[in-house]
Amino acid sequence: MADLALGLLSELQCHGVRWQGDGGLARKGGAGPSDHKALSLGEHTAMVPMLNLASQASPYSAVPDARGEQAVIFRDGQALGQVRLPGVPSFYGLSTADGTPYWKIATLHSRDVLATTVLQHCIRMNDASSACQFCAIGQSLEAGKTIARKRPAQLAEVAEAAVRLDGVKHMVMTTGTPNTPDRGAAILCESAAAVTARVALPIQAQCEPPDSDAWFGRLKAAGVVSLGMHLEAVSEAVRARIMPGKAQVPLARYFSAFEAAVKVFGHGQVSTYILAGLGDSGDAIAQMSERLAAMGVYPFVVPFVPIDGTPLASHPKPSSAFMQALYPRIGQSLRRHGLRAADVHAGCAKCGACSALRQHE
Ligand code: SF4
């Protein structure tokens, strides 16, 4: 059977796919792309939502072969093409001396990205009046699939193994936001320093804008090469509704932080994650993306995926038509300001697996 057409990956990311096998190598809960599986087409790998309830109404389904190496994608019962399923990485079979499995410390995203949430706790997560409604950071901890705090030495040990055994090319270090003015920058610094002292691995750190721009220089000195500060929503009304706590950090602070961070990390090495489908109009996202790109900030626009167990589990997904109209507009801004995923040293914009934006650069 022929491979699935690449253009259909965007469709699959918006609708989700009904998975007709066991869980296999998938992410359930946590920060980042939860309830997803990785699907590969040639050189391209995409994270596609499959395990959440919202995907169970999708017209698309995936039937894996007996070895779990490939799957055939169907629409309304008609076979459309096949995809490859990345195998379980070798480092998942190892544990630290204290018996913690490596996969509880960091996981493989897409096919060559090592990802970790250094602090699996956030000041806002237990208060419904302030928590980000799309976030599932507490779920994987409750399910025993991760540990609350990944120590620098643990991260260094896992990163070394993931590079040596599985050819991991870059690393994403995100964190829940602690109750400190640095917003997690300090633990990202010590974590990045430990990893880069052990293995050559480009790291993207992700945090809220810290209290002082001096943290950007400290992060760089610790070995961080790219920085993500994630807006998620772009208009004030949507920010206040979807992420009431984080919306207390004014957009003006994000912009001053972006400006300062670009001076430290360079044009295109600072990025932000924007979730399309939370209520922002296409115009609002396109205008914000143009403003960001003009500053040298890569606007990584992804379709919102409703995660089970979160307040937005039943929130509508963006339609495929909405995303197909939006991506080319973001692509124009990227080209106008000389931003390319391939030039990003590390992180989500480089990986690109949660979005079809790369096809429109
Ligand atoms: S784009 Fe970011 S969150 Fe998505 S799979 Fe890649 S590294 Fe993970």
Side-chain angles (χ1 to χ4, degrees):
M1 172 169 296
D3 283 353
L4 189 76
L6 186 60
L8 276 177
L9 281 177
S10 170
E11 272 274 298
L12 301 189
Q13 284 182 322
C14 287
H15 286 282
V17 171
R18 285 175 286 118
W19 178 248
Q20 313 274 289
D22 64 17
L25 184 60
R27 298 196 65 238
K28 191 95 181 116
S34 299
D35 300 357
H36 288 57
K37 287 176 79 70
L39 303 180
S40 292
L41 279 174
E43 291 299 300
H44 191 88
T45 298
M47 298 300 283
V48 175
M50 293 199 196
L51 306 176
N52 55 339
L53 283 174
S55 295
Q56 304 318 305
S58 170
Y60 295 97
S61 60
V63 180
D65 63 10
R67 293 152 65 117
E69 294 174 350
Q70 297 189 327
V72 176
I73 304 295
F74 291 84
R75 178 171 179 132
D76 298 328
Q78 184 186 347
L80 300 178
Q82 68 179 17
V83 293
R84 280 180 294 108
L85 306 168
V88 177
S90 300
F91 80 88
Y92 276 26
L94 302 178
S95 298
T96 60
D98 67 3
T100 307
Y102 279 12
W103 56 264
K104 288 193 179 187
I105 295 167
T107 55
L108 187 74
H109 278 203
S110 187
R111 63 177 161 191
D112 60 5
V113 187
L114 185 66
T116 188
T117 302
V118 179
L119 185 64
Q120 200 85 24
H121 191 275
C122 172
I123 34 170
R124 308 191 181 103
M125 63 187 252
N126 292 324
D127 178 358
S129 68
S130 65
C132 297
Q133 295 189 15
F134 49 77
C135 184
I137 191 170
Q139 288 186 21
S140 43
L141 187 60
E142 279 172 21
K145 293 186 173 171
T146 188
I147 57 175
R149 172 80 161 90
K150 287 80 171 179
R151 298 287 160 199
Q154 292 176 316
L155 291 167
E157 183 177 335
V158 175
E160 187 279 327
V163 171
R164 176 168 43 85
L165 300 175
D166 297 291
V168 158
K169 297 285 191 304
H170 55 119
M171 182 169 189
V172 171
M173 270 185 193
T174 192
T175 183
T177 301
N179 193 14
T180 51
D182 63 271
R183 303 272 162 175
I187 58 172
L188 291 169
C189 277
E190 64 181 30
S191 303
V195 168
T196 52
R198 182 89 178 255
V199 63
L201 187 62
I203 296 171
Q204 183 205 33
Q206 301 179 346
C207 60
E208 291 184 30
D211 60 330
S212 163
D213 293 342
W215 282 108
F216 302 138
R218 294 177 195 135
L219 284 161
K220 187 171 186 191
V224 170
V225 294
S226 302
L227 182 70
M229 292 184 286
H230 295 173
L231 289 170
E232 340 286 358
V234 302
S235 52
E236 291 295 0
V238 180
R239 297 184 79 223
R241 179 167 55 83
I242 299 289
M243 36 187 226
K246 200 169 156 179
Q248 302 292 315
V249 181
L251 283 175
R253 173 58 191 136
Y254 274 86
F255 276 93
S256 69
F258 286 140
E259 189 177 3
V262 168
K263 284 184 185 145
V264 172
F265 292 99
H267 183 88
Q269 299 306 328
V270 177
S271 60
T272 193
Y273 216 95
I274 295 173
L275 295 168
L278 292 176
D280 288 314
S281 67
D283 283 349
I285 293 174
Q287 285 160 14
M288 178 63 84
S289 297
E290 170 63 22
R291 183 177 171 190
L292 291 161
M295 301 175 71
V297 175
Y298 192 108
F300 187 56
V301 177
V302 308
F304 162 69
V305 175
I307 305 299
D308 294 350
T310 67
L312 296 188
S314 302
H315 190 283
K317 298 170 278 190
S319 71
S320 186
F322 181 81
M323 294 308 299
Q324 291 298 348
L326 184 57
Y327 282 134
R329 300 178 72 183
I330 314 298
Q332 279 178 358
S333 290
L334 294 174
R335 285 193 297 280
R336 192 176 295 127
H337 301 290
L339 298 172
R340 294 191 327 144
D343 297 333
V344 180
H345 299 322
C348 289
K350 181 179 188 67
C351 165
C354 287
S355 169
L357 182 56
R358 175 87 56 92
Q359 296 161 45
H360 298 271
E361 276 191 346

